[in-house]
Amino acid sequence: MSGQSPKTTGLSPKEGPPGTKVTIRGENLGKSQEDLISVSICGVECLMYSEWLTSQKIISRSSRCKGLGDVIVTTRSGGRGSSTVQFKGYEEIVGPTKESAVWVNEDDYYQSSARHRPTSPAMMYSTDPLGLCVDDDSPTSGRSGKISDSLFRELFPDALEATPQSYANIASDHFLPDWYLLQHHNNTSFNDLKRGLDSLRAKCEAQLTPNASSAPVTFLKTNVLPVIECLDALKALHLALKKDKQEVGPDLNAKVDDLIRKSTEEAHAIFDAVLSRKDKADSTRNALNVLQRYRFLFNLPSNIDKSILKGDYDIVINDFSRAKSLFSNTSVNVFAKVYSEVVQRVEKFRAMLNEKLRLSCCQNDGRNVDEVKRLIRYLNSLDQSGDPAWDSINTIKQTLLSSVEKCRDKHKNSKPKPVAIEAEDMSDNEESVGYPVEAPKQIQFVEELTNLFNQSFPDLFRLGTAYLNGDLYTKETFEQLRAKDDVFHKEMVEKPIQTLCDEMRAAILPNSIKNMPHVQQWSYEIDEQLVLWLPYCLRCVINCCSNLSKLELSSNPNQNVLKPLIQLIFDLRVHSMQCLFNQSASEIKNLHTKEMWDIQLDDTVGARTQLPLLYECKVVEILQLVRETVLQVRGTDDTDIFSQINVQGSVKQLAQTLLQSFICALEKTVSTPHNSPSSTPKALPRLEDRTLIVLCNCGFTYNQVIPRLHESFEKFGYPDMNLVMKITQNKFKDLENRLFDQYIEGKCDVVIGGIEPAMYLFETEWFTTNATPSDVSYYVKEMLMNLIEIQAEVYQIAPALVEKVMYFIVESALEEVERLYDSIAAKITDTARVQSVIDIGALRLAFAHSRQELTVLSNKKLNECLNCLLVHNYDINDDLVDKILNTFEQSMHLQLSCFRYEFEGLLLTV
């Protein structure tokens, strides 16, 4: 035993009853059938059932064994082997109703001369079919040695990949006679081979046509031991038969027949009972199978209720679709009854979905479009009649339009409610910034209406777009959807937007709907509060337009669905600007109520108040407010409102009205003064003083404030205001001239009104006295004192106006003196005439060192007075006149010095 020991590594199958065909796999399982000595399965010898195939595979059958056991192969070349796997044997229990049989194919087995020793099918074939000796040590052997495998490959190139030994094996499927002769009888002579062939042919013919006389003898010789065993068995059977006849009697079959009959009856009874139970079990099993197979239908009503409660609508629809496809046309009454119950529940479910869809479509706040789409999909899956998607779109549109009407009716006749706004939403009203303010009902309506559209219209458009794109599982064809496209854009998109614009125009732009009889009018009054809220209203409309523009409402670039809304925004911007300018102009007209008469000296105009600066602040504030809330706040088209000529003209007119409104405030400051309630109570200046102060304010306004306001207009991006500024400055100059004339007229009345009474105080002396004059007349001194008083009054308030005021007052006074002298020149005495010359000389002396214009004017007027008095060449005592005038100049030195001034800026040098 020089080879390696066998090793069993695999079994197939690994368990079975006796007689199971087992395939044994492993290593070194022998070289041939003759090499096998033993094949043991679970300790039971199974060699007689074993067939060697290769050194790695043996096929055998298991014998009677129980439990697990090793499979051991023993060979001559390797000895006793080992096993890494085990086979499990068991006995199969056979019942009275179970057919069982084990067929053992005994065709391949026959008994040899050895007792109880079966032979493998491989041993059925002779090792020397030619009748020649094949033993290696036999002297008659025709072999001289094995042929190498390389020679086999040369001789038989078309041979398969099997080993050369398999081609020399008579039992092999690859047997080649040529190779067999070369392998076993390569040195045998041809005659010997022919003799062997004849012997083989004779054996085959003897087996095919046996001799009648020699056949039994041959059979007995071959099977002597089985024949003896059969004779022993027959003898034992004969003895047993004789014993049974003695015990039972001559008729041995009666008892057996009786037992067989009883056994048959009992077996039939048992079998009938078993069959009845089997039939009952089969019927029960069939019923259970039906229930099990169709349990989906029977449980569907309760499952639908549970799924609806859980909200698993997809499961309900899928189950119903499955049941409909299987049982809608069933002829089975039970199935039809259950299916009708399912249909009833689905009808209720469909009604519930319709109600949910209606409520979702009628809800403006918090509408979930995805939920609406799901409900539409559910209804379409349940074969809802009509078109749920299109009906939902119509419902949302009608709900939106009805909500617009309700909103209008609610606010049109309602009282305004307090609404908190931020400072940037209103104007510069410091008292209301950051605090709750009662919003006008128009503003509340616009705010609620825009919020309503921001919430509902996107849902309407998105749902309609999904419908037209075929995303809502509708039954409509592509052509039908295209036909509804125009209807959707006209009725569902353009009409609601036009309604939105019309309603907002009716609320805040009533003048723009005069040609719209279908739009309800609002009672509209532009008050201060409404104007303050217009920027906030504009922002609400712009936000609404911006939100709608994100929806891409029109696929046609040449068609702008938002054009009415864009035009509304443009008109509202213009209207807001007009209202803000007009409101500010009204406030500026009432600035006189905020005059506190806090006098401040200005280097250029003299005394002024804070009113011009307050006016400037008001204008700058409104310019900035309009810029931030109107000009910079633009809609989707980003249009500049000043791009249109009519708007430019309108804003210029508004700016002119705004700037010139201060003229009214200045006039009221003079005529109807008003102390500001927020200021500390002060004594109200006299009319003359107020006039001078307003003159200073007027000059300061058109010289400094108006140019700065012009710069502000340019800074904030308004159109060219050069012409407006020139016109405004001219208006302020006109006001200044009117006020100056008014002041001059008043002061002239004071001066001129005292000249004639003072001159006629000594009326009789003018016409009768001949006394020599000794002093200047009283009226001259009185007039000079009045002029000094006026000059001091003007200088105290407006030093720059002293020269101008004094020029016109002196001119009027001298004209009055000339008139008086002209009226009495022919009536007075010579001494009175001398007195008149002295008086004229005193007046000439008073104005001799004044400004050149005033000096020239006084000389001219006084010369005309002399011409009136000295019509005839009267002799005048010049020495007397000079003496009196010198005395007058000395005594009135301080008074006369008041008229000897020169301006150095505002410094009056006396």
Side-chain angles (χ1 to χ4, degrees):
M1 294 186 299
S2 61
Q4 296 181 358
S5 60
K7 184 177 180 181
T8 304
T9 58
L11 296 175
S12 177
K14 293 184 178 182
E15 62 179 7
T20 301
K21 186 177 180 181
V22 181
T23 301
I24 303 172
R25 299 181 185 275
E27 302 173 358
N28 308 314
L29 299 181
K31 298 180 180 179
S32 64
Q33 183 74 32
E34 291 84 0
D35 195 22
L36 291 177
I37 298 175
S38 173
V39 177
S40 174
I41 298 177
C42 295
V44 179
E45 184 60 45
C46 298
L47 179 61
M48 61 183 299
Y49 309 117
S50 301
E51 179 182 359
W52 181 91
L53 298 178
T54 65
S55 62
Q56 287 135 8
K57 181 177 180 182
I58 296 174
I59 295 178
S60 180
R61 290 186 181 272
S62 64
S63 296
R64 185 180 298 276
C65 59
K66 290 185 179 181
L68 291 171
D70 294 333
V71 178
I72 305 299
V73 178
T74 305
T75 63
R76 289 188 179 92
S77 60
R80 182 178 175 82
S82 61
S83 175
T84 59
V85 294
Q86 289 183 322
F87 182 82
K88 181 180 180 182
Y90 59 86
E91 292 186 0
E92 196 170 22
I93 300 175
V94 180
T97 60
K98 181 176 181 63
E99 297 180 357
S100 177
V102 178
W103 177 262
V104 179
N105 187 4
E106 297 179 349
D107 293 340
D108 296 333
Y109 302 99
Y110 68 93
Q111 294 185 358
S112 65
S113 60
R115 185 178 179 89
H116 304 295
R117 177 66 184 266
T119 306
S120 172
M123 298 178 64
M124 293 172 58
Y125 305 97
S126 175
T127 58
D128 187 14
L130 296 177
L132 302 176
C133 181
V134 295
D135 294 337
D136 294 338
D137 54 353
S138 175
T140 62
S141 175
R143 296 167 51 189
S144 62
K146 297 286 185 178
I147 304 300
S148 63
D149 295 344
S150 60
L151 180 59
F152 170 77
R153 298 301 176 188
E154 289 183 23
L155 297 176
F156 304 98
D158 297 333
L160 300 177
E161 296 296 329
T163 59
Q165 288 78 10
S166 64
Y167 289 98
N169 188 357
I170 297 176
S172 175
D173 295 336
H174 308 294
F175 174 71
L176 293 175
D178 299 342
W179 179 245
Y180 175 81
L181 293 177
L182 290 174
Q183 186 75 8
H184 295 285
H185 304 285
N186 55 352
N187 292 329
T188 305
S189 64
F190 183 72
N191 293 328
D192 291 340
L193 290 176
K194 287 178 65 178
R195 189 169 52 253
L197 178 60
D198 294 337
S199 176
L200 180 60
R201 185 179 289 114
K203 289 180 181 180
C204 292
E205 291 177 355
Q207 290 178 1
L208 294 175
T209 59
N211 190 356
S213 61
S214 61
V217 177
T218 304
F219 177 77
L220 290 175
K221 286 181 180 180
T222 306
N223 301 287
V224 62
L225 183 59
V227 171
I228 294 173
E229 289 179 352
C230 288
L231 291 175
D232 292 340
L234 290 174
K235 184 178 180 180
L237 181 61
H238 178 69
L239 294 176
L241 182 59
K242 288 174 65 175
K243 184 179 179 180
D244 290 338
K245 284 183 178 181
Q246 291 176 359
E247 293 177 358
V248 178
D251 191 2
L252 297 177
N253 294 331
K255 186 176 181 179
V256 176
D257 291 339
D258 186 47
L259 293 175
I260 291 175
R261 183 181 56 79
K262 291 182 179 179
S263 299
T264 303
E265 293 177 355
E266 186 67 23
H268 281 295
I270 294 173
F271 192 70
D272 291 340
V274 172
L275 286 179
S276 63
R277 290 197 300 271
K278 182 177 181 299
D279 293 339
K280 186 176 180 180
D282 290 342
S283 61
T284 304
R285 188 180 299 108
N286 292 334
L288 292 176
N289 287 335
V290 171
L291 293 176
Q292 180 67 16
R293 180 179 179 183
Y294 300 105
R295 69 183 184 277
F296 159 74
L297 178 63
F298 295 110
N299 295 332
L300 187 55
S302 60
N303 289 338
I304 288 176
D305 295 338
K306 293 178 183 178
S307 298
I308 291 175
L309 290 177
K310 292 180 182 179
D312 298 334
Y313 298 156
D314 289 320
I315 297 177
V316 176
I317 294 172
N318 293 334
D319 291 347
F320 176 68
S321 299
R322 179 182 172 189
K324 182 179 179 181
S325 62
L326 295 175
F327 305 104
S328 59
N329 297 323
T330 183
S331 59
V332 182
N333 293 332
V334 176
F335 293 164
K337 183 178 180 180
V338 177
Y339 180 74
S340 63
E341 186 177 352
V342 171
V343 171
Q344 292 177 1
R345 280 173 167 76
V346 170
E347 289 295 334
K348 294 181 180 179
F349 174 59
R350 186 185 291 114
M352 183 193 73
L353 291 179
N354 278 318
E355 182 63 19
K356 274 190 154 186
L357 181 60
R358 186 188 66 81
L359 293 177
S360 297
C361 294
C362 294
Q363 182 181 3
N364 289 320
D365 297 335
R367 181 189 296 113
N368 190 341
V369 179
D370 294 333
E371 180 66 20
V372 173
K373 291 181 179 179
R374 280 196 295 270
L375 294 174
I376 293 173
R377 178 171 60 85
Y378 294 153
L379 290 172
N380 287 328
S381 300
L382 293 174
D383 296 331
Q384 172 70 17
S385 59
D387 192 349
W390 187 253
D391 294 341
S392 300
I393 296 171
N394 276 301
T395 302
I396 294 177
K397 186 203 78 170
Q398 295 300 332
T399 301
L400 178 60
L401 295 180
S402 62
S403 299
V404 170
E405 294 179 358
K406 292 179 182 178
C407 180
R408 178 194 62 208
D409 297 338
K410 180 179 73 173
H411 291 286
K412 190 173 182 181
N413 301 318
S414 65
K415 295 181 179 179
K417 61 181 179 180
V419 177
I421 60 172
E422 298 296 333
E424 59 185 15
D425 294 334
M426 293 181 60
S427 68
D428 56 346
N429 190 353
E430 298 179 355
E431 298 179 357
S432 60
V433 172
Y435 294 93
V437 177
E438 288 188 355
K441 56 185 179 181
Q442 296 94 332
I443 305 301
Q444 294 184 28
F445 169 69
V446 171
E447 180 184 15
E448 185 174 345
L449 189 59
T450 53
N451 291 335
L452 179 64
F453 259 75
N454 290 336
Q455 293 173 356
S456 296
F457 190 81
D459 298 342
L460 172 64
F461 181 75
R462 282 195 287 266
L463 191 63
T465 303
Y467 174 78
L468 296 177
N469 293 335
D471 298 337
L472 297 183
Y473 308 98
T474 60
K475 302 175 183 178
E476 303 288 334
T477 62
F478 180 73
E479 290 74 13
Q480 291 174 336
L481 292 177
R482 288 189 60 183
K484 287 186 177 180
D485 191 4
D486 295 337
V487 178
F488 172 75
H489 282 89
K490 290 181 180 179
E491 296 296 327
M492 312 297 178
V493 177
E494 295 179 5
K495 183 176 180 180
I497 292 177
Q498 186 63 47
T499 302
L500 170 69
C501 297
D502 294 343
E503 294 296 339
M504 288 194 293
R505 283 183 179 276
I508 54 180
L509 297 174
N511 295 330
S512 62
I513 61 169
K514 293 181 179 179
N515 297 327
M516 299 180 183
H518 62 281
V519 182
Q520 294 189 14
Q521 301 286 338
W522 284 61
S523 57
Y524 189 80
E525 294 180 1
I526 300 179
D527 54 5
E528 180 180 359
Q529 186 177 356
L530 179 60
V531 173
L532 295 177
W533 280 89
L534 283 178
Y536 175 76
C537 177
L538 175 62
R539 192 172 67 178
C540 292
V541 179
I542 291 177
N543 290 338
C544 179
C545 182
S546 177
N547 293 333
L548 296 182
S549 64
K550 297 176 182 178
L551 300 176
E552 299 180 0
L553 299 177
S554 177
S555 59
N556 187 2
N558 298 326
Q559 181 182 6
N560 191 355
V561 179
L562 295 177
K563 184 177 180 180
L565 191 57
I566 294 173
Q567 185 63 39
L568 171 63
I569 292 174
F570 184 85
D571 296 343
L572 184 57
R573 290 172 67 191
V574 175
H575 178 70
S576 299
M577 180 182 65
Q578 293 174 348
C579 291
L580 289 173
F581 269 95
N582 293 332
Q583 181 66 31
S584 182
S586 300
E587 294 177 359
I588 291 174
K589 287 182 180 180
N590 295 323
L591 282 180
H592 69 283
T593 60
K594 297 184 179 182
E595 179 63 85
M596 295 181 292
W597 302 106
D598 186 9
I599 307 299
Q600 295 183 358
L601 292 178
D602 189 272
D603 295 339
T604 57
V605 299
R608 62 171 178 82
T609 62
Q610 293 294 328
L611 203 60
L613 297 180
L614 183 59
Y615 159 68
E616 181 181 4
C617 291
K618 284 284 185 181
V619 175
V620 172
E621 285 177 2
I622 193 61
L623 292 180
Q624 186 173 1
L625 177 63
V626 170
R627 176 175 177 266
E628 293 177 353
T629 60
V630 177
L631 302 182
Q632 292 183 344
V633 179
R634 299 180 180 180
T636 56
D637 59 339
D638 202 23
T639 303
D640 184 7
I641 62 174
F642 294 144
S643 60
Q644 297 188 8
I645 301 300
N646 57 341
V647 179
Q648 292 184 11
S650 176
V651 73
K652 289 180 180 180
Q653 184 64 37
L654 292 171
Q656 182 174 337
T657 303
L658 176 69
L659 295 175
Q660 295 179 11
S661 60
F662 188 54
I663 296 176
C664 180
L666 293 176
E667 291 177 344
K668 291 180 181 179
T669 305
V670 177
S671 59
T672 55
H674 185 276
N675 278 329
S676 175
S678 60
S679 62
T680 303
K682 294 181 180 180
L684 189 66
R686 297 178 300 116
L687 176 62
E688 296 83 357
D689 295 341
R690 295 198 306 271
T691 304
L692 290 176
I693 293 173
V694 172
L695 281 172
C696 293
N697 287 341
C698 188
F700 179 77
T701 300
Y702 73 76
N703 285 324
Q704 298 187 28
V705 175
I706 296 299
R708 289 201 297 266
L709 291 179
H710 191 188
E711 294 177 359
S712 298
F713 273 99
E714 294 179 350
K715 175 183 176 181
F716 293 134
Y718 287 83
D720 183 23
M721 295 290 176
N722 288 326
L723 181 61
V724 173
M725 295 302 166
K726 290 180 181 179
I727 296 175
T728 302
Q729 286 179 330
N730 292 333
K731 292 294 182 179
F732 277 100
K733 289 179 181 179
D734 293 342
L735 173 64
E736 183 183 37
N737 293 333
R738 291 198 305 273
L739 294 176
F740 184 80
D741 293 342
Q742 179 181 347
Y743 181 79
I744 294 299
E745 182 179 358
K747 292 303 179 181
C748 287
D749 291 343
V750 174
V751 175
I752 295 174
I755 293 176
E756 186 173 2
M759 181 180 290
Y760 293 160
L761 180 62
F762 304 100
E763 182 180 358
T764 56
E765 295 180 359
W766 282 95
F767 301 104
T768 59
T769 184
N770 291 319
T772 303
S774 60
D775 197 1
V776 179
S777 299
Y778 175 77
Y779 78 90
V780 175
K781 296 180 180 180
E782 180 70 17
M783 182 179 69
L784 292 177
M785 292 302 298
N786 289 335
L787 290 175
I788 292 172
E789 181 181 0
I790 293 172
Q791 177 180 300
E793 176 184 314
V794 175
Y795 179 78
Q796 184 181 4
I797 297 176
L801 295 178
V802 170
E803 179 182 355
K804 184 177 181 181
V805 171
M806 293 303 298
Y807 182 88
F808 286 102
I809 294 178
V810 169
E811 180 183 15
S812 299
L814 294 179
E815 288 178 353
E816 178 65 16
V817 170
E818 180 184 3
R819 183 187 67 79
L820 293 175
Y821 279 146
D822 185 62
S823 62
I824 65 174
K827 301 178 182 179
I828 60 176
T829 62
D830 293 339
T831 55
R833 199 177 301 276
V834 174
Q835 183 65 45
S836 299
V837 172
I838 295 172
D839 294 341
I840 292 173
L843 292 174
R844 190 188 303 274
L845 184 63
F847 301 114
H849 300 286
S850 296
R851 283 278 185 176
Q852 181 178 1
E853 294 82 359
L854 184 59
T855 302
V856 173
L857 173 67
S858 62
N859 290 332
K860 179 181 178 181
K861 294 296 182 181
L862 293 176
N863 289 334
E864 292 178 356
C865 292
L866 288 175
N867 293 333
C868 294
L869 294 172
L870 302 177
V871 177
H872 304 287
N873 293 325
Y874 292 103
D875 293 332
I876 302 299
N877 188 352
D878 295 334
D879 295 335
L880 177 64
V881 171
D882 293 338
K883 179 181 178 181
I884 294 174
L885 291 177
N886 290 332
T887 303
F888 171 76
E889 183 178 7
Q890 293 177 0
S891 61
M892 298 287 290
H893 173 73
L894 183 60
Q895 288 80 0
L896 294 178
S897 63
C898 293
F899 300 103
R900 299 173 185 177
Y901 51 81
E902 292 183 359
F903 281 99
E904 296 179 0
L906 285 182
L907 179 63
L908 181 64
T909 302
V910 179

